[in-house]
Amino acid sequence: MGAGFYRDGMTRLMAGDVAEGLRLLEAALREAPDDAKVMHGLARALEASGERERSMELLTRVHEGAPAEPDPACDLALSLIERGDDERASRVLSPVLEAQPEHPRANFYMAMALAKTDAARARRHTVHARKSPDPDDRQAAAALDRVLALYVDR
């Protein structure tokens, strides 16, 4: 099922060797073309190597197969936010937050997606985002909340 290629590819990718990680993850996908975990890993490698369109295609495919799975949905949502498609990012994150309402990363990206159109609702999402186990994520959520407060508390 491409497990060896996947494991080795992700190890290389996390170590910063994007080219080798990409090569190994491509091999994993050839062995397991429908494996969502492999597609997600390859999408991350493609993003890191600058192949954003193909990365988006794979993330979309993974998300369509498992819409409540947080990691691929969050990666897809972030790519959509970066492209200015906040509305679609919000739709991508909705199933995740229905299944896991307190998921910190999904809440953070939902807050980002809503920030320009519904600051009050976005702030409600920062409450859960600020509970992330990652201190950098907590800090980013707190910073976003401070900015949103300027627009809500007028």
Side-chain angles (χ1 to χ4, degrees):
M1 143 162 42
F5 285 129
Y6 171 78
R7 183 187 59 250
D8 294 345
M10 291 305 293
T11 298
R12 296 304 289 257
L13 183 63
M14 294 300 121
D17 188 350
V18 174
E20 183 62 10
L22 182 59
R23 185 189 73 74
L24 290 164
L25 290 164
E26 290 275 13
L29 188 64
R30 282 191 297 277
E31 285 191 0
D34 296 320
D35 187 312
K37 188 165 81 170
V38 171
M39 284 188 278
H40 182 225
L42 178 56
R44 293 178 66 200
L46 289 164
E47 177 72 25
S49 70
E51 294 185 52
R52 298 190 82 195
E53 288 304 316
R54 187 153 173 243
S55 174
M56 284 282 292
E57 290 170 12
L58 284 172
L59 287 171
T60 300
R61 188 171 158 199
V62 172
H63 176 68
E64 288 170 352
E69 188 62 38
D71 290 337
C74 286
D75 288 349
L76 178 57
L78 180 58
S79 290
L80 291 166
I81 291 166
E82 289 172 346
R83 293 168 181 236
D85 195 347
D86 298 341
E87 185 178 322
R88 183 171 168 214
S90 177
R91 288 192 312 267
V92 163
L93 293 166
S94 289
V96 174
L97 291 171
E98 286 173 20
Q100 299 179 50
E102 296 182 11
H103 191 278
R105 189 167 162 229
N107 274 286
F108 181 64
Y109 292 150
M110 182 63 90
M112 289 174 57
L114 296 171
K116 292 182 252 175
T117 57
D118 192 343
R121 190 167 152 223
R123 281 196 82 195
R124 288 193 294 273
H125 286 283
T126 64
V127 170
H128 297 296
R130 291 168 55 185
K131 295 177 183 174
S132 172
D134 183 302
D136 292 335
D137 290 348
R138 286 194 308 270
Q139 184 178 8
L144 178 58
D145 187 62
R146 284 191 300 274
V147 171
L148 291 168
L150 298 172
Y151 296 95
V152 174
D153 296 338
R154 285 186 184 190

